[in-house]
Amino acid sequence: MEPFIIGITGASGALYAHRLLRHLKDLDAEVHLVLTEHGKQVVAYEGQKAIYELADKVYRNDDLFAPIASGSFRHRGMIIAPCTMATLGKLAHGIGDSLLARAADVCLKERRKLIVLPRETPMHAVHFRNQAILSDLGAVVLPANPSFYLKPQSIEDLVDTVLARVLDHLGLDHPVSHRWREMGVGQDGGRGTEDRGISQ
Ligand SMILES: Cc1cc2nc3c(=O)[nH]c(=O)nc-3n(C[C@H](O)[C@H](O)[C@H](O)COP(=O)(O)O)c2cc1C
């Protein structure tokens, strides 16, 4: 089976990458990983260094000779989680000056699946424009905006509300997070948290 590529940049939310790697590993998927320099620093700062053990292969971001830099490399999709506004800007303007940016640029030119999880708040007009450009180029812009209607009970549950959508877009069958109106979720007629014994 062909691998997935995960890119990690220096945005807050390394837990998104950690849990995505964990879920893909649980699904027996092969994962190749590349981090920007700031990505490495934020991963360390946010205490998520365990991600490295979950990847089948980790590339250096300055290794432009790596297989994922080439359109001939076959894979099942690339996910950039989390994605900074800086990397988003590069991708929107075809700047492939690092392995992560080049691999993503290759996805766009080869019309392969590219999912970006932007993380910033608030955003200015250039951030929005760059996301619109990427969307026009065929990337899936899937902001790291967790949802609350599934009543997450932990930070991991919250993060998984986003990652379930990522796994859906990758076409994977997965047990991550419930779906609206499945398994009783959302079928309480709007009575909310009371039915789960949570006091408000
Ligand atoms: C702790 C920390 C958190 C950061 N969080 C964000 C963020 O959420 N979004 C963002 O766009 N930049 C964030 N930054 C700034 C980026 O790391 C910075 O713009 C960097 O140049 C991005 O480089 P990269 O895209 O090559 O990783 C953060 C920086 C630090 C130190």
Side-chain angles (χ1 to χ4, degrees):
M1 194 69 92
E2 292 161 2
F4 291 101
I5 303 171
I6 294 186
I8 304 178
T9 67
S12 185
L15 184 59
Y16 285 103
H18 187 164
R19 286 197 67 77
L20 180 58
L21 273 152
R22 164 61 56 204
H23 294 320
L24 289 173
K25 196 171 176 71
D26 288 346
L27 294 168
D28 285 329
E30 184 180 334
V31 179
H32 293 196
L33 180 64
V34 58
L35 298 90
T36 64
E37 193 47 48
H38 292 101
K40 277 193 225 162
Q41 291 176 21
V42 176
V43 161
Y45 184 74
E46 294 188 347
Q48 300 296 338
K49 277 172 129 176
I51 58 163
Y52 296 104
E53 286 144 38
L54 295 170
D56 295 283
K57 196 163 185 130
V58 184
Y59 299 104
R60 284 200 349 245
N61 199 30
D62 64 357
D63 182 8
L64 284 163
F65 286 82
I68 62 171
S70 167
S72 65
F73 183 76
R74 289 163 61 119
H75 62 83
R76 298 166 76 188
M78 177 169 183
I79 311 103
I80 305 181
C83 184
T84 60
M85 296 304 103
T87 291
L88 199 76
K90 275 190 192 179
L91 303 187
H93 294 88
I95 301 169
D97 64 348
S98 69
L99 182 59
L100 186 149
R102 167 67 186 166
D105 197 49
V106 167
C107 288
L108 295 172
K109 82 181 176 77
E110 301 290 341
R111 307 292 192 260
R112 295 220 178 93
K113 176 76 80 183
L114 174 66
I115 303 176
V116 292
L117 275 68
R119 216 282 352 151
E120 184 54 282
T121 196
M123 293 186 187
H124 58 59
V126 171
H127 298 154
F128 289 120
R129 281 185 208 127
N130 286 339
Q131 290 177 71
I133 291 171
L134 276 184
S135 181
D136 286 346
L137 292 173
V140 176
V141 179
L142 200 157
N145 288 354
S147 59
F148 294 82
Y149 57 84
L150 298 174
K151 299 166 189 166
Q153 304 292 297
S154 65
I155 293 177
E156 286 75 16
D157 283 355
L158 202 62
V159 162
D160 282 354
T161 64
V162 174
L163 297 181
R165 300 285 75 77
V166 173
L167 297 171
D168 286 348
H169 273 278
L170 294 173
L172 297 169
D173 270 337
H174 64 84
V176 178
S177 200
H178 298 309
R179 290 173 195 280
W180 181 242
R181 299 262 158 186
E182 268 184 17
M183 299 170 72
V185 175
Q187 292 178 348
D188 59 8
R191 285 188 299 280
T193 52
E194 287 162 22
D195 285 358
R196 292 180 64 164
I198 300 165
S199 54
Q200 292 176 304

